[in-house]
PDB file of all heavy atoms in Angstrom:
ATOM      1  N   THR A  37       7.007   3.974  -1.212  1.00  0.00           N
ATOM      2  CA  THR A  37       6.677   5.232  -0.558  1.00  0.00           C
ATOM      3  C   THR A  37       6.731   6.357  -1.570  1.00  0.00           C
ATOM      4  O   THR A  37       7.479   6.328  -2.526  1.00  0.00           O
ATOM      5  CB  THR A  37       7.650   5.553   0.570  1.00  0.00           C
ATOM      6  OG1 THR A  37       8.977   5.396   0.075  1.00  0.00           O
ATOM      7  CG2 THR A  37       7.434   4.625   1.736  1.00  0.00           C
ATOM      8  N   ILE A  38       5.907   7.332  -1.305  1.00  0.00           N
ATOM      9  CA  ILE A  38       5.910   8.500  -2.179  1.00  0.00           C
ATOM     10  C   ILE A  38       6.595   9.618  -1.442  1.00  0.00           C
ATOM     11  O   ILE A  38       6.317   9.864  -0.278  1.00  0.00           O
ATOM     12  CB  ILE A  38       4.472   8.952  -2.490  1.00  0.00           C
ATOM     13  CG1 ILE A  38       3.787   7.905  -3.321  1.00  0.00           C
ATOM     14  CG2 ILE A  38       4.503  10.259  -3.242  1.00  0.00           C
ATOM     15  CD1 ILE A  38       2.410   8.311  -3.728  1.00  0.00           C
ATOM     16  N   HIS A  39       7.472  10.272  -2.106  1.00  0.00           N
ATOM     17  CA  HIS A  39       7.955  11.521  -1.537  1.00  0.00           C
ATOM     18  C   HIS A  39       7.799  12.585  -2.586  1.00  0.00           C
ATOM     19  O   HIS A  39       8.321  12.485  -3.671  1.00  0.00           O
ATOM     20  CB  HIS A  39       9.417  11.404  -1.115  1.00  0.00           C
ATOM     21  CG  HIS A  39       9.888  12.686  -0.535  1.00  0.00           C
ATOM     22  ND1 HIS A  39       9.773  13.001   0.787  1.00  0.00           N
ATOM     23  CD2 HIS A  39      10.428  13.772  -1.130  1.00  0.00           C
ATOM     24  CE1 HIS A  39      10.245  14.207   0.992  1.00  0.00           C
ATOM     25  NE2 HIS A  39      10.663  14.702  -0.151  1.00  0.00           N
ATOM     26  N   ILE A  40       7.054  13.577  -2.278  1.00  0.00           N
ATOM     27  CA  ILE A  40       6.858  14.651  -3.243  1.00  0.00           C
ATOM     28  C   ILE A  40       7.385  15.919  -2.627  1.00  0.00           C
ATOM     29  O   ILE A  40       7.030  16.274  -1.511  1.00  0.00           O
ATOM     30  CB  ILE A  40       5.360  14.822  -3.558  1.00  0.00           C
ATOM     31  CG1 ILE A  40       4.827  13.497  -4.101  1.00  0.00           C
ATOM     32  CG2 ILE A  40       5.166  15.921  -4.567  1.00  0.00           C
ATOM     33  CD1 ILE A  40       3.349  13.472  -4.228  1.00  0.00           C
ATOM     34  N   GLU A  41       8.227  16.590  -3.358  1.00  0.00           N
ATOM     35  CA  GLU A  41       8.812  17.802  -2.784  1.00  0.00           C
ATOM     36  C   GLU A  41       7.899  18.964  -3.038  1.00  0.00           C
ATOM     37  O   GLU A  41       7.529  19.262  -4.167  1.00  0.00           O
ATOM     38  CB  GLU A  41      10.165  18.074  -3.420  1.00  0.00           C
ATOM     39  CG  GLU A  41      10.492  19.540  -3.499  1.00  0.00           C
ATOM     40  CD  GLU A  41      11.874  19.842  -3.011  1.00  0.00           C
ATOM     41  OE1 GLU A  41      12.152  19.602  -1.832  1.00  0.00           O
ATOM     42  OE2 GLU A  41      12.666  20.303  -3.820  1.00  0.00           O
ATOM     43  N   GLY A  42       7.512  19.610  -1.972  1.00  0.00           N
ATOM     44  CA  GLY A  42       6.737  20.824  -2.156  1.00  0.00           C
ATOM     45  C   GLY A  42       7.669  21.956  -2.507  1.00  0.00           C
ATOM     46  O   GLY A  42       8.710  22.087  -1.907  1.00  0.00           O
ATOM     47  N   PRO A  43       7.337  22.759  -3.479  1.00  0.00           N
ATOM     48  CA  PRO A  43       8.204  23.907  -3.809  1.00  0.00           C
ATOM     49  C   PRO A  43       8.158  24.942  -2.707  1.00  0.00           C
ATOM     50  O   PRO A  43       7.300  24.916  -1.853  1.00  0.00           O
ATOM     51  CB  PRO A  43       7.594  24.453  -5.093  1.00  0.00           C
ATOM     52  CG  PRO A  43       6.192  23.963  -5.090  1.00  0.00           C
ATOM     53  CD  PRO A  43       6.179  22.668  -4.353  1.00  0.00           C
ATOM     54  N   SER A  44       9.103  25.856  -2.737  1.00  0.00           N
ATOM     55  CA  SER A  44       9.212  26.776  -1.613  1.00  0.00           C
ATOM     56  C   SER A  44       8.249  27.935  -1.766  1.00  0.00           C
ATOM     57  O   SER A  44       8.624  29.098  -1.783  1.00  0.00           O
ATOM     58  CB  SER A  44      10.644  27.278  -1.480  1.00  0.00           C
ATOM     59  OG  SER A  44      11.079  27.771  -2.732  1.00  0.00           O
ATOM     60  N   GLU A  45       7.010  27.618  -1.943  1.00  0.00           N
ATOM     61  CA  GLU A  45       6.006  28.677  -1.933  1.00  0.00           C
ATOM     62  C   GLU A  45       5.606  28.899  -0.492  1.00  0.00           C
ATOM     63  O   GLU A  45       6.177  28.355   0.415  1.00  0.00           O
ATOM     64  CB  GLU A  45       4.764  28.247  -2.710  1.00  0.00           C
ATOM     65  CG  GLU A  45       5.059  27.487  -3.965  1.00  0.00           C
ATOM     66  CD  GLU A  45       3.848  26.680  -4.398  1.00  0.00           C
ATOM     67  OE1 GLU A  45       2.789  26.840  -3.777  1.00  0.00           O
ATOM     68  OE2 GLU A  45       3.961  25.896  -5.313  1.00  0.00           O
ATOM     69  N   SER A  46       4.609  29.700  -0.301  1.00  0.00           N
ATOM     70  CA  SER A  46       4.149  29.903   1.072  1.00  0.00           C
ATOM     71  C   SER A  46       3.486  28.629   1.563  1.00  0.00           C
ATOM     72  O   SER A  46       2.517  28.142   0.986  1.00  0.00           O
ATOM     73  CB  SER A  46       3.168  31.060   1.129  1.00  0.00           C
ATOM     74  OG  SER A  46       2.053  30.756   0.309  1.00  0.00           O
ATOM     75  N   PRO A  47       4.033  28.072   2.578  1.00  0.00           N
ATOM     76  CA  PRO A  47       3.510  26.783   3.047  1.00  0.00           C
ATOM     77  C   PRO A  47       2.273  26.967   3.909  1.00  0.00           C
ATOM     78  O   PRO A  47       2.096  27.993   4.546  1.00  0.00           O
ATOM     79  CB  PRO A  47       4.661  26.237   3.873  1.00  0.00           C
ATOM     80  CG  PRO A  47       5.343  27.465   4.386  1.00  0.00           C
ATOM     81  CD  PRO A  47       5.140  28.553   3.382  1.00  0.00           C
ATOM     82  N   THR A  48       1.454  25.987   3.916  1.00  0.00           N
ATOM     83  CA  THR A  48       0.313  26.033   4.837  1.00  0.00           C
ATOM     84  C   THR A  48       0.384  24.798   5.714  1.00  0.00           C
ATOM     85  O   THR A  48       0.624  23.694   5.238  1.00  0.00           O
ATOM     86  CB  THR A  48      -1.013  26.006   4.076  1.00  0.00           C
ATOM     87  OG1 THR A  48      -0.978  24.913   3.160  1.00  0.00           O
ATOM     88  CG2 THR A  48      -1.243  27.286   3.315  1.00  0.00           C
ATOM     89  N   HIS A  49       0.186  25.023   6.954  1.00  0.00           N
ATOM     90  CA  HIS A  49       0.186  23.892   7.869  1.00  0.00           C
ATOM     91  C   HIS A  49      -1.235  23.483   8.142  1.00  0.00           C
ATOM     92  O   HIS A  49      -2.105  24.322   8.325  1.00  0.00           O
ATOM     93  CB  HIS A  49       0.863  24.267   9.184  1.00  0.00           C
ATOM     94  CG  HIS A  49       2.331  24.329   9.044  1.00  0.00           C
ATOM     95  ND1 HIS A  49       3.066  23.255   8.618  1.00  0.00           N
ATOM     96  CD2 HIS A  49       3.199  25.326   9.235  1.00  0.00           C
ATOM     97  CE1 HIS A  49       4.322  23.605   8.575  1.00  0.00           C
ATOM     98  NE2 HIS A  49       4.442  24.846   8.948  1.00  0.00           N
ATOM     99  N   GLN A  50      -1.462  22.227   8.137  1.00  0.00           N
ATOM    100  CA  GLN A  50      -2.799  21.757   8.461  1.00  0.00           C
ATOM    101  C   GLN A  50      -2.684  20.832   9.638  1.00  0.00           C
ATOM    102  O   GLN A  50      -2.526  19.625   9.486  1.00  0.00           O
ATOM    103  CB  GLN A  50      -3.404  21.034   7.264  1.00  0.00           C
ATOM    104  CG  GLN A  50      -3.544  21.987   6.093  1.00  0.00           C
ATOM    105  CD  GLN A  50      -4.211  21.331   4.921  1.00  0.00           C
ATOM    106  OE1 GLN A  50      -4.974  20.409   5.087  1.00  0.00           O
ATOM    107  NE2 GLN A  50      -3.905  21.815   3.732  1.00  0.00           N
ATOM    108  N   PRO A  51      -2.726  21.386  10.807  1.00  0.00           N
ATOM    109  CA  PRO A  51      -2.518  20.567  12.005  1.00  0.00           C
ATOM    110  C   PRO A  51      -3.590  19.511  12.192  1.00  0.00           C
ATOM    111  O   PRO A  51      -3.419  18.580  12.941  1.00  0.00           O
ATOM    112  CB  PRO A  51      -2.542  21.583  13.161  1.00  0.00           C
ATOM    113  CG  PRO A  51      -3.065  22.855  12.577  1.00  0.00           C
ATOM    114  CD  PRO A  51      -2.960  22.793  11.105  1.00  0.00           C
ATOM    115  N   GLY A  52      -4.696  19.649  11.473  1.00  0.00           N
ATOM    116  CA  GLY A  52      -5.737  18.656  11.658  1.00  0.00           C
ATOM    117  C   GLY A  52      -5.424  17.334  10.985  1.00  0.00           C
ATOM    118  O   GLY A  52      -5.943  16.302  11.363  1.00  0.00           O
ATOM    119  N   LEU A  53      -4.576  17.357   9.976  1.00  0.00           N
ATOM    120  CA  LEU A  53      -4.277  16.125   9.235  1.00  0.00           C
ATOM    121  C   LEU A  53      -3.489  15.174  10.116  1.00  0.00           C
ATOM    122  O   LEU A  53      -2.493  15.565  10.703  1.00  0.00           O
ATOM    123  CB  LEU A  53      -3.462  16.438   7.985  1.00  0.00           C
ATOM    124  CG  LEU A  53      -4.261  16.441   6.679  1.00  0.00           C
ATOM    125  CD1 LEU A  53      -3.414  16.973   5.552  1.00  0.00           C
ATOM    126  CD2 LEU A  53      -4.741  15.045   6.348  1.00  0.00           C
ATOM    127  N   PRO A  54      -3.888  13.923  10.178  1.00  0.00           N
ATOM    128  CA  PRO A  54      -3.177  12.988  11.054  1.00  0.00           C
ATOM    129  C   PRO A  54      -1.832  12.599  10.467  1.00  0.00           C
ATOM    130  O   PRO A  54      -1.652  12.546   9.274  1.00  0.00           O
ATOM    131  CB  PRO A  54      -4.106  11.777  11.115  1.00  0.00           C
ATOM    132  CG  PRO A  54      -4.869  11.848   9.838  1.00  0.00           C
ATOM    133  CD  PRO A  54      -5.012  13.289   9.497  1.00  0.00           C
TER     134      PRO A  54
END
Side-chain angles (χ1 to χ4, degrees):
Chain A
T37 49
I38 293 183
H39 180 88
I40 302 170
E41 149 132 297
S44 51
E45 320 159 7
S46 61
T48 51
H49 285 302
Q50 298 183 27
L53 258 171

